């Protein structure tokens, strides 16, 4: 009898990566077998070269290099409708990028995203992590 791995994801822009992101990702990583960190990228948003997709992805890879079940992927939002109107396009891009037969968990600190996650990822359990920012008093 085989047991399938539990799959979860968390999204971030990590612009820049800070303690709140690290706390969220670390907490999520303790609750599933494979955690995808979906790095959102919008080619029109950040002019600062320090916040390039390459740098933000490197920050994540370096920070979590010792946690082998964390996988960093990215979704290009450049041509998508801006939040909150692009849920349909964005959710398809996330599913395609993760490319797993099932997604068990979505981890977030953003209560405003619950309705979107529930609509576009039906059957996936959404887990709130430090929504009140009591552990790490920072937000993106």
């Amino acid at each position: 009898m085989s047991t399938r791995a539990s799959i979860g994801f968390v999204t971030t822009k990590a612009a820049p990566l800070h303690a709140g992101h690290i706390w969220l990702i670390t907490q999520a990583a303790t609750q599933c077998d494979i955690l995808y960190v979906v790095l959102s990228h919008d080619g029109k948003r950040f002019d600062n070269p320090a916040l390039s997709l390459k740098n933000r992805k490197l920050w994540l890879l370096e920070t979590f290099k010792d946690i082998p079940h964390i996988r960093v992927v990215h979704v290009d939002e450049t041509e998508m409708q801006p939040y909150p109107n692009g849920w349909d396009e964005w959710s398809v891009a996330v599913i395609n990028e993760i490319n797993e037969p099932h997604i068990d968990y979505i981890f977030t600190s953003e209560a405003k995203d619950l309705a979107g996650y529930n609509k576009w990822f039906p059957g996936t359990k959404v887990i709130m992590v430090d929504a009140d920012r009591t552990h790490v008093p920072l937000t993106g």
Side-chain angles (χ1 to χ4, degrees):
M1 181 170 147
S2 66
T3 304
R4 70 174 178 81
S6 60
I7 309 292
F9 78 83
V10 61
T11 65
T12 185
K13 287 193 177 20
L17 182 65
H18 60 63
H21 298 122
I22 294 168
W23 173 255
L24 171 61
I25 294 165
T26 302
Q27 292 303 302
T30 67
Q31 298 179 58
C32 57
D33 298 316
I34 300 170
L35 178 69
Y36 286 88
V37 177
V38 179
L39 177 61
S40 294
H41 167 70
D42 180 340
K44 301 178 221 174
R45 184 160 181 194
F46 300 114
D47 292 335
N48 183 342
L51 298 177
S52 69
L53 173 62
K54 178 182 174 184
N55 284 349
R56 292 183 290 131
K57 191 169 185 177
L58 285 172
W59 294 336
L60 288 165
L61 291 170
E62 180 63 24
T63 300
F64 298 105
K65 68 183 178 194
D66 295 326
I67 307 176
H69 69 281
I70 291 180
R71 300 176 184 169
V72 178
V73 298
H74 80 273
V75 168
D76 186 349
E77 299 177 346
T78 305
E79 300 301 322
M80 293 181 191
Q81 295 180 52
Y83 179 86
N85 300 316
W87 273 97
D88 53 345
E89 299 168 274
W90 181 84
S91 62
V92 169
V94 168
I95 290 167
N96 289 338
E97 194 60 39
I98 290 175
N99 194 27
E100 291 282 355
H102 65 275
I103 299 171
D104 301 292
Y105 306 108
I106 300 169
F107 301 91
T108 184
S109 295
E110 301 293 339
K112 67 181 180 176
D113 293 339
L114 287 175
Y117 285 135
N118 288 326
K119 179 177 180 181
W120 296 104
F121 296 90
T124 302
K125 183 175 182 180
V126 181
I127 298 175
M128 294 298 298
V129 179
D130 199 25
D132 295 330
R133 308 305 197 272
T134 55
H135 185 79
V136 180
L138 294 170
T139 185

